[in-house]
Amino acid sequence: MARLALLSVSNKTGIVDLARRLVEEFEFNLISSGGTAQTLKDAGLPVTKVSDYTGSPEILGGRVKTLHPRIHGGILARRDIPQHLTDLENNQIRPIDLVVVNLYPFEETIAKPGVTLSEAVEQIDIGGPAMLRAASKNFAHLTVLCDPEQYEEYLQELRQNNGTASLDFRQKCALKGFSHTASYDQAIAAYLSQQSENTYNLSGQQLQSLRYGENPHQPAAWYQTGTTPTGWAAATKLQGKELSYNNLVDLEAARQIIAEFTDTPAATVIKHTNPCGVALGSTLVEAYQKAFNADAVSAFGGIVALNHPIDVATAEELTKTFLECVVAPGCEAAAQEVLAAKSKLRILTLPDLTSGPKETVKAIAGGFLVQSADDKIADSGEWQVVTERQPTPDELAELLFAWKVCKHVKSNAIVITRDRTTLGVGAGQMNRVGSVKIALEQAGAKAQGAILASDGFFPFDDSVKTAAAAGITAIVQPGGSLRDQDSVKAANELGLVMVLTGIRHFLH
């Protein structure tokens, strides 16, 4: 008797070609439900509708199609147990050798603006996950496919193994089936948990094992959330070594900074998640040169993010020093040829550098912490000038640039800039005075006429006086200290501009 394949897919990519090969090359019989059956019939392929095979019509508007003993008996029967085979025969059930199923587009539905709860619920697949789980459980006796990318590999398996798929292949497909249903259920649970404050769900599919974590003695892996690749999972690596755990952490830090600058060419160089340099330029190569030269010593071995596609001039500059990774929204073909000279340099393209996670999650002993992402867009129109001296338009633009960078520096954070370029960065110090001193020392004589941004308020006026003595002319800070007036008074006495944003950006 011919083998039986059950095809029931929401995403019909490649299904006709697969079905044709199954029928013409391997003499399968096909059963199929709903729209899949119609698609195969329209393609001139012999197919039996599930409702005809089971003798039970689709009911409840299609909510019940494949939930039937003739379907699940054929999937779950073990061919090595005589009683199972007897049960199949007594109930006129054919064993099913191949199950091809993918699921209703739940994630795509909830991603649409204004989707209602009832619309989302109707895209919760029931029969599909049931068949996937059943077929995955019984991989010892049949094959399950849930991704169009598996179709050709399955056909090759049949061709290389006298018309049967190997046990190793079937087990691999079963794992993908269970991962697919787990991710699907997670998406549903995450969506519904948004209606409740008491539940938070987190899961992912492993993309790859990493060589190690932050240090060689720490195992690590990279996971993708959701069934559709987004963010770094959707990036294209044009060349270079495999990405490491630290690469990915630093790339995300670089992405977050470069996402602040969408129009004017911008570049940032990252080390250990803090910026060595950030700059804007009239061209991309100018922006990169300014960012690199802001702290060329620290930039060695850094991570670079660019907000415009890499051109030849920028590529030539990137090859002049040792870098770990470069990411940009694109890369010109000629630029890629230049970068090929540095074959170990990881070059990634990520067209959308602005979209990031909506929450951040941190593990702690016995649980984890969740907070919304710090994605508030800076708007200088909402700021308050608290000094007698008002900022010029150029000073205000410089203050906004510095504030955007400071947001992404580990607290306590101080950033000194001029000409839309970082001159000094004080990061991660235990007190703000220390961060000010580090940033000013790094800026040196260039601090004359520069501006200073602080991610938190100044509880005392000492840092304001230190900044003024070094040549700083304007300061942007959140305000909110009980002693704000002391800092404002010092700024007035020293002829500085001081602007309060009303929002802080601590980064731990």
Side-chain angles (χ1 to χ4, degrees), residues 37 85-86 101 109-110 198 228 260 338 400:
L85 298 178
T86 299
V101 173
T109 298
I110 62 175
N198 300 321
T228 302
E260 297 282 353
V338 172
L400 181 60

Side-chain angles (χ1 to χ4, degrees), residues 368-432:
F368 56 89
L369 307 175
V370 181
Q371 66 172 351
S372 61
D374 185 8
D375 55 6
K376 182 175 176 59
I377 298 174
D379 181 0
S380 59
E382 298 176 353
W383 295 354
Q384 179 185 9
V385 181
V386 292
T387 48
E388 294 168 1
R389 189 164 86 79
Q390 300 290 304
T392 66
D394 186 67
E395 282 179 319
L396 190 60
E398 191 73 45
L399 288 163
L400 181 60
F401 170 79
W403 182 245
K404 287 181 175 181
V405 175
C406 193
K407 170 183 175 181
H408 301 283
V409 177
K410 289 293 178 72
S411 299
N412 287 308
I414 297 292
V415 173
I416 295 169
T417 77
R418 189 176 63 196
D419 189 28
R420 313 304 186 268
T421 306
T422 56
L423 304 176
V425 178
Q429 298 306 299
M430 288 65 73
N431 63 77
R432 199 158 299 279

Side-chain angles (χ1 to χ4, degrees), residues 468-506:
I472 297 297
T473 61
I475 293 174
V476 56
Q477 55 127 327
S481 169
L482 293 174
R483 302 185 62 170
D484 272 349
Q485 197 53 45
D486 291 354
S487 293
V488 174
K489 181 173 179 291
N492 277 326
E493 290 174 350
L494 297 165
L496 272 63
V497 170
M498 182 171 285
V499 176
L500 303 185
T501 66
I503 183 171
R504 77 181 194 197
H505 287 301
F506 285 174

Side-chain angles (χ1 to χ4, degrees), residues 446-460:
K446 294 179 181 178
Q448 289 288 332
I451 67 95
L452 180 150
S454 172
D455 68 337
F457 59 65
F458 293 109
F460 304 103

Side-chain angles (χ1 to χ4, degrees), residues 131-143:
M131 289 187 291
L132 276 180
R133 288 177 57 81
S136 297
K137 174 179 179 175
N138 206 28
F139 69 86
H141 301 280
L142 75 158
T143 305

Side-chain angles (χ1 to χ4, degrees), residues 211-251:
R211 187 177 176 190
Y212 53 78
E214 287 179 306
N215 299 290
H217 63 276
Q218 295 173 265
W222 178 10
Y223 289 82
Q224 169 192 316
T225 56
T227 56
T228 302
T230 59
W232 295 110
T236 300
K237 185 159 75 73
L238 301 180
Q239 67 172 55
K241 298 185 293 184
E242 289 296 318
L243 292 166
S244 72
Y245 179 97
N246 289 335
N247 290 158
L248 288 161
V249 171
D250 283 336
L251 279 166

Side-chain angles (χ1 to χ4, degrees), residues 69-70 86-94:
R70 292 200 77 191
T86 299
D87 287 344
L88 292 183
E89 184 177 354
N90 290 341
N91 291 278
Q92 298 181 326
I93 298 173
R94 290 178 61 182

Side-chain angles (χ1 to χ4, degrees), residues 77-111:
R78 287 181 54 176
R79 322 293 168 81
D80 58 342
I81 297 179
Q83 185 59 52
H84 283 204
L85 298 178
T86 299
D87 287 344
L88 292 183
E89 184 177 354
N90 290 341
N91 291 278
Q92 298 181 326
I93 298 173
R94 290 178 61 182
I96 296 174
D97 290 276
L98 173 66
V99 173
V100 183
V101 173
N102 55 58
L103 308 178
Y104 293 169
F106 179 80
E107 288 186 285
E108 291 85 345
T109 298
I110 62 175

